[in-house]
């Protein structure tokens, strides 16, 4: 089997990485963001075309205020500082999740980055922010219900394709491989609809230590799996 077209990653273990080094948790997030920049380049060089990462979940708001503020600042800086690099690498960046729950200036920076990179044909990089799989499906159901109420859609016309078209990931292929770092073996509300047939790969490596070799290991395991698509249509 060949290199996965779409890899999704649950970036986990930043806090434990920092703790093990006697550093504040925030240092783990800073290093995690650096790791992510490098992995975007490595993934594309390995032949991966789509990468979708879980940066901030709908549940992450319950973290201490100072940590939430720090993560938002990191995301703000990323949106502002990565336009140039994204252009240089021909990377198309898109944010998934409920953007209405984000600060206005962050939403503006996201829009600028998305618009500036929308026609790039290199790596398609999706960042999940204020994202929850159940919340995404709920928002899609509301949109479909609105269409039914407006008389432009019949309930019996709702099929998998119509649902997928209302998700934040509309137009993207489903992930082939879902990686979670740091030893946890849960999906934690990530891409619940899209990852239905994804191969799962768990590693004990903390996210800040995840590198090209670790990604190559995950891809190698994926390539050895006997992948059955079930009812999924191959693109
Ligand atoms: C999980 O580690 C990680 C997060 C909640 C944040 C992930 C964010 C980044 C890697 C950086 C920001 C992203 C971009 C796009 C700039 P954890 O804090 O839950 O670690 P722990 O389980 O060891 O406590």
């Amino acid at each position: 089997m060949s290199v996965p077209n779409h890899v999704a990653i649950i970036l986990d273990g930043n806090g434990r990485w920092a703790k093990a080094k006697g550093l504040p948790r925030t240092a783990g997030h800073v290093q995690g963001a650096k790791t992510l920049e490098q992995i975007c380049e490595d993934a594309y060089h390995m032949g991966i075309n789509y990468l979708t990462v879980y940066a901030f979940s709908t549940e992450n708001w319950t973290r201490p205020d100072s940590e939430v503020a720090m993560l938002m600042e990191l995301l703000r800086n990323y949106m502002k500082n990565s336009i140039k690099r994204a252009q240089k690498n021909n990377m198309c960046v898109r944010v998934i999740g409920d953007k209405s729950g984000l600060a206005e200036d962050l939403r503006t920076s996201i829009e600028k980055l998305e618009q500036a990179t929308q026609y790039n044909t290199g790596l398609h990089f999706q960042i999940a922010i204020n994202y929850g799989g159940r919340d995404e499906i709920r928002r899609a159901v509301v949109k479909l219900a609105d269409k039914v109420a407006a008389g432009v859609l019949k309930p019996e016309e709702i099929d998998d394709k119509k649902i997928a078209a209302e998700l934040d990931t509309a137009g993207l292929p489903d992930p082939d491989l879902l990686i979670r770092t740091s030893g946890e073996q849960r999906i934690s509300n990530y891409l619940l609809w899209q990852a239905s047939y994804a191969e799962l790969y768990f590693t004990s490596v903390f996210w800040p230590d995840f590198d090209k070799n670790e990604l190559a290991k995950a891809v190698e395991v994926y390539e050895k799996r006997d992948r059955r698509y079930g009812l999924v249509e191959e693109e």
Side-chain angles (χ1 to χ4, degrees):
M1 200 157 58
S2 54
V3 171
N5 185 41
H6 186 170
V7 175
I9 309 183
I10 300 177
L11 315 168
D12 199 5
N14 291 351
R16 278 164 286 164
W17 178 89
K19 195 177 173 199
K21 291 190 150 35
L23 298 168
R25 291 177 59 79
T26 48
H29 296 317
V30 170
Q31 188 54 46
K34 287 186 188 152
T35 297
L36 186 54
E37 281 174 18
Q38 186 57 47
I39 284 293
C40 282
E41 297 193 12
D42 296 335
Y44 193 59
H45 289 141
M46 285 168 68
I48 293 161
N49 295 309
Y50 296 83
L51 181 69
T52 304
V53 301
Y54 211 174
F56 194 91
S57 72
T58 45
E59 289 76 30
N60 283 155
W61 296 107
T62 60
R63 292 190 175 209
D65 289 351
S66 58
E67 187 173 344
V68 169
M70 185 273 166
L71 281 167
M72 288 298 143
E73 200 51 31
L74 207 55
L75 291 167
R76 261 188 197 93
N77 291 339
Y78 180 85
M79 302 305 155
K80 286 189 189 141
N81 301 334
S82 61
I83 293 193
K84 258 194 196 163
R85 203 183 36 255
Q87 300 296 34
K88 187 180 129 243
N89 295 333
N90 193 22
M91 188 165 82
C92 172
V93 188
R94 170 164 157 185
V95 169
I96 61 168
D98 186 0
K99 291 179 206 163
S100 70
L102 302 177
E104 206 179 324
D105 70 307
L106 178 54
R107 288 209 311 260
T108 305
S109 305
I110 290 170
E111 250 166 55
K112 276 190 189 157
L113 179 60
E114 287 181 335
Q115 277 180 9
T117 63
Q118 63 183 322
Y119 300 117
N120 289 347
T121 54
L123 181 75
H124 286 73
F125 179 44
Q126 291 66 237
I127 310 171
I129 305 175
N130 193 25
Y131 176 88
R134 286 186 177 181
D135 183 62
E136 181 191 33
I137 293 169
R138 179 194 62 76
R139 286 184 284 111
V141 169
V142 171
K143 284 186 243 170
L144 289 167
D146 278 346
K147 287 186 180 172
V148 170
V152 294
L153 179 70
K154 293 193 183 109
E156 60 273 22
E157 287 170 350
I158 298 173
D159 57 11
D160 284 9
K161 278 194 175 150
K162 290 243 170 22
I163 295 171
E166 299 296 351
L167 297 174
D168 299 338
T169 50
L172 299 171
D174 283 342
D176 305 290
L177 171 65
L178 173 61
I179 298 172
R180 183 168 190 159
T181 56
S182 91
E184 308 296 338
Q185 302 197 359
R186 294 185 296 280
I187 294 179
S188 297
N189 206 12
Y190 193 42
L191 301 175
L192 294 182
W193 176 276
Q194 300 87 337
S196 295
Y197 295 92
E199 295 292 330
L200 306 180
Y201 177 85
F202 301 105
T203 171
S204 58
V205 171
F206 293 141
W207 173 251
D209 285 333
F210 195 85
D211 61 9
K212 192 162 88 178
N213 289 337
E214 295 300 331
L215 182 59
K217 269 193 231 170
V219 168
E220 205 178 302
V221 168
Y222 169 86
E223 285 172 334
K224 285 191 186 130
R225 296 234 179 120
D226 178 16
R227 189 151 159 75
R228 293 179 213 282
Y229 283 84
L231 295 170
V232 171
E233 273 175 44
E234 259 188 275
E235 299 283 325

